[in-house]
Amino acid sequence: MLNYDIVVIGGGPAGLAAAIEAKKSGIDSILVIDRDRELGGILQQCIHNGFGLHEFKEELTGPEYAERFIEQLKELDIECKLDTMVIDITQDRLIHAINTEDGYMTIQAKAIVLAMGCRERTRGAIAIPGSRPAGIFTAGTAQRYINMEGYMVGKKVFILGSGDIGLIMARRLILEGAEVSAVAEVMPYSGGLTRNIVQCLEDFNIPLLLSHTIVDIKGKDKIEGVVLSKVDSHRKPIAGTEKYFECDTLLLSVGLIPENELSKSAGIEMDPATNGPIVNESMETTVEGIFACGNVVHVHDLVDYVSQESRRAGSNAAKYVKDMLIRNGSTLQARPGDGVGYIVPQIIRTDNLEKNLDLFMRVKNVYSHGKLVIRVDGVPVREIKKKHMAPGEMERIKLDLELLKDKNDSILSVEVEKEVV
Amino acid sequence: MERKNMICIVCPIGCHLEVERIDEKVIVTGNQCNRGQAYGIKELTNPTRVLTSTVKVNNAHLSRLPIKTKGGVPKHKISQCIKEINSVELNAPVKLGQVVIKNIQGTGVDVIASRSI
């Protein structure tokens, strides 16, 4: 059996930032485990720019952003096991893992940081009717094929879902010589950032069809086309609006799910709104000594925020190893109010906060000129005006610790209020 | 006189801009900040984009190397730039930031490797 103070599971942006911060916090015995053959995670296939505006004050591509963190990891001499699959984690922080060099191994950790990221929703998850031919990919799989492995996925492509990956792949496919007929979105608004709609779709005259979904897939061995239909306000297809689009490839960009099989096997309590573990202000889950950060907790839209959150997980895992985290003391529960989908962290132990509390949340609808109202036990403590809020854009609130002091067993809530003009 | 509606792509707010050219002057309205004004003027007079793509790389664990243009290239030259990028073939090792194409299509902008491989 191997022994480490901190084991980080996942070598993507979250795992890298957590491991680096834990080392800087004075912990020497750290191991990072990743199942891929190199570090960096999904950033390695995100060759477009727009990363790092907060972290480095410049626009980087995914691989560039990753390389800066990988270099730091190497300089700090942090140990890694690549090509290694973690099979199970127990409540007492015993890790079962396997690779072709060491075979099966067990690793005892004093603290664990879960940083497994998320995976894409597939055709099965959204139950598209029709035959089951070849040529249907998730947008991220196509991205890895094209940007890293050097395989082109098709010539005439239809994209379902307007998440950022779908939009970015629309532009990528055009640049690689494919034809993109359209991007269809079931919601009346896009799930991606406005800037991506402009520079990925409008720049290349790709139509974005809102309130549309696929009602049939044609083709036996290979996909030949899709049938698109308009949907009503309940997202139900409207009969008589069907339209056929010929294509040899269908890309799905229909949402991401935190990857939590290991968290569940460790008995960690999950939040049904985020599909990730319930965490506290230190990014610790409901199992003592197991921390989580990044997309495994909730799906972020900016990697910069993942890095920030993960540093918090890393430094607190180090504090835990040194027995410096305060376990009892005043505690608040965060609850989403009207118009808010979720809040992270869900548990706040004020004694562990230094001066601010960062709350992350997503709103449920598109709002212009609204405000976020923060209440403690029903009493408003702060209001933040927002010119624009959308489900595709994560909201971050920095709360002054003074507002939360001496509140025990309290409920902190955030709700959207529409501004009266 | 030329008039154009556009959405600013500098930040996530996505202001709806109205950009108007009267003689030699460009007037931007609808922007909530100065960056929107700069974007509006540039987008009407000389729209540019940072181009990212990949080139073929040999002797590496992957077959493609990601690249980017070091600055914005004119929008109307994107397809020519992509053609030139697609003609490049490299051998590993390549360092991050290494120049892959100098002054692509006479734009004055270099294409660089965006990772080490």
Side-chain angles (χ1 to χ4, degrees):
Chain A
M1 187 169 71
L2 301 169
N3 279 285
Y4 287 91
D5 281 354
I6 298 178
V7 176
V8 178
I9 302 174
L16 291 169
I20 290 166
E21 197 63 20
K23 180 93 184 195
K24 285 183 180 166
S25 309
I27 302 293
D28 275 325
S29 153
I30 302 174
L31 174 69
V32 177
I33 303 178
D34 198 277
R35 65 182 173 192
D36 205 346
R37 57 191 158 180
E38 62 180 333
L39 294 167
I42 298 304
L43 280 178
Q44 298 288 18
Q45 68 187 52
C46 299
I47 62 158
H48 52 278
N49 64 334
F51 301 93
L53 277 171
H54 296 272
E55 278 288 307
F56 301 110
K57 309 281 172 244
E58 56 183 308
E59 270 201 88
L60 302 173
T61 66
E64 287 177 307
Y65 189 96
E67 198 157 326
R68 293 197 179 189
F69 280 86
I70 295 168
E71 282 305 310
Q72 239 184 312
L73 195 88
K74 281 187 191 152
E75 274 165 34
L76 291 169
D77 223 0
I78 295 172
E79 221 179 301
C80 297
K81 276 191 188 297
L82 298 175
D83 265 323
T84 305
M85 191 76 190
V86 174
I87 303 161
D88 192 31
I89 316 171
T90 66
Q91 289 215 325
D92 38 19
R93 301 183 295 279
L94 185 68
I95 297 159
H96 299 261
I98 194 161
N99 67 26
T100 50
E101 215 171 282
D102 309 272
Y104 167 76
M105 66 194 119
T106 53
I107 309 162
Q108 180 65 57
K110 287 182 186 158
I112 294 177
V113 180
L114 304 175
M116 294 89 74
C118 59
R119 60 164 179 257
E120 296 179 280
R121 290 172 78 201
T122 58
R123 177 177 176 184
I126 54 166
I128 306 174
S131 56
R132 310 183 69 79
I136 305 171
F137 301 84
T138 59
T141 301
Q143 193 176 43
R144 178 157 182 134
Y145 278 155
I146 295 172
N147 293 347
M148 295 175 76
E149 317 284 351
Y151 298 107
M152 188 60 177
V153 293
K155 290 192 180 110
K156 196 162 185 179
V157 186
F158 192 91
I159 300 178
L160 179 66
S162 64
D164 287 314
I165 318 169
L167 300 176
I168 281 159
M169 283 312 290
R171 170 178 64 184
R172 190 73 196 104
L173 283 157
I174 297 247
L175 290 179
E176 286 298 335
E179 194 185 310
V180 178
S181 349
V183 175
E185 166 64 53
V186 71
M187 302 301 281
Y189 49 83
S190 159
L193 302 170
T194 318
R195 48 183 292 171
N196 283 335
I197 293 172
V198 174
Q199 58 185 348
C200 298
L201 298 189
E202 289 174 13
D203 271 9
F204 300 96
N205 299 316
I206 304 168
L208 172 61
L209 307 166
L210 297 172
S211 298
H212 276 80
T213 195
I214 289 177
V215 289
D216 200 6
I217 289 176
K218 304 280 189 195
K220 192 168 171 280
D221 298 320
K222 176 90 183 132
I223 186 167
E224 285 161 14
V226 296
V227 180
L228 197 71
S229 178
K230 262 191 194 164
V231 297
D232 63 19
S233 55
H234 303 289
R235 278 183 263 163
K236 268 184 108 170
I238 303 169
T241 61
E242 295 85 359
K243 212 175 152 193
Y244 182 72
F245 286 83
E246 200 187 294
C247 63
D248 60 23
T249 306
L250 170 65
L251 291 197
L252 302 176
S253 176
V254 292
L256 301 166
I257 315 165
E259 180 127 9
N260 276 297
E261 273 58 39
L262 291 173
S263 325
K264 285 175 196 160
S265 75
I268 289 166
E269 225 181 294
M270 309 292 286
D271 181 342
T274 54
N275 284 313
I278 290 173
V279 291
N280 62 28
E281 77 301 322
S282 305
M283 300 312 291
E284 188 182 20
T285 65
T286 53
V287 173
E288 201 186 302
I290 302 185
F291 296 75
C293 54
N295 283 356
V296 81
V297 178
H298 58 131
V299 178
H300 298 60
D301 37 28
L302 290 185
V303 70
D304 301 71
Y305 291 151
V306 168
S307 301
Q308 267 178 32
E309 183 182 284
S310 305
R311 276 200 285 269
R312 209 144 37 109
S315 71
N316 284 303
K319 270 191 188 167
Y320 176 81
V321 170
K322 293 189 244 172
D323 202 20
M324 280 162 59
L325 278 184
I326 299 160
R327 307 217 70 84
N328 19 13
S330 56
T331 303
L332 292 95
Q333 307 274 339
R335 298 271 163 79
D338 280 352
V340 176
Y342 72 78
I343 304 178
V344 168
Q346 293 88 342
I347 300 165
I348 303 141
R349 300 175 304 185
T350 47
D351 296 320
N352 289 314
L353 293 170
E354 270 162 28
K355 55 178 197 276
N356 292 314
L357 167 70
D358 277 322
L359 285 177
F360 291 93
M361 65 205 68
R362 277 182 198 278
V363 295
K364 285 186 182 163
N365 218 321
V366 179
Y367 301 95
S368 62
H369 294 281
K371 56 185 177 184
L372 290 167
V373 181
I374 300 112
R375 289 195 173 88
V376 176
D377 290 331
V379 181
V381 294
R382 236 191 110 186
E383 281 183 9
I384 296 158
K385 284 189 184 172
K386 290 273 173 186
K387 276 178 187 146
H388 175 83
M389 288 187 281
E393 284 156 17
M394 198 167 76
E395 298 294 333
R396 188 178 78 156
I397 297 177
K398 236 183 174 45
L399 272 189
D400 208 312
L401 182 54
E402 287 302 313
L403 296 172
L404 309 172
K405 263 203 173 145
D406 310 317
K407 305 272 191 235
N408 195 13
D409 287 332
S410 295
I411 303 288
L412 181 144
S413 69
V414 183
E415 66 173 55
V416 177
E417 231 171 65
K418 286 190 94 173
E419 189 105 307
V420 185
V421 190
Chain B
M1 202 180 88
E2 201 183 343
R3 185 184 239 177
K4 223 175 159 187
N5 289 317
M6 55 180 81
I7 291 171
C8 178
I9 61 170
V10 178
C11 87
I13 296 174
C15 293
H16 290 255
L17 308 179
E18 198 164 274
V19 190
E20 212 174 341
R21 194 207 307 253
I22 304 164
D23 300 326
E24 286 304 294
K25 260 184 105 179
V26 178
I27 297 160
V28 181
T29 48
N31 56 308
Q32 294 178 16
C33 76
N34 288 332
R35 289 180 302 175
Q37 181 172 359
Y39 171 79
I41 293 170
K42 187 129 194 266
E43 194 63 13
L44 191 77
T45 53
N46 176 30
T48 63
R49 296 285 184 269
V50 168
L51 198 53
T52 61
S53 188
T54 60
V55 298
K56 190 177 177 193
V57 60
N58 301 312
N59 311 324
H61 69 290
L62 297 168
S63 51
R64 305 299 296 185
L65 169 80
I67 54 93
K68 71 169 188 182
T69 56
K70 230 181 153 181
V73 294
K75 244 173 100 174
H76 67 271
K77 282 198 170 168
I78 285 180
S79 57
Q80 291 146 262
C81 288
I82 280 290
K83 254 189 213 141
E84 190 173 344
I85 287 165
N86 286 344
S87 68
V88 173
E89 195 173 323
L90 293 174
N91 292 315
V94 178
K95 284 296 279 178
L96 170 73
Q98 186 177 318
V99 176
V100 174
I101 301 169
K102 241 191 133 42
N103 184 18
I104 187 164
Q105 295 295 309
T107 55
V109 178
D110 290 347
V111 174
I112 58 168
S114 60
R115 73 167 279 180
S116 306
I117 206 160

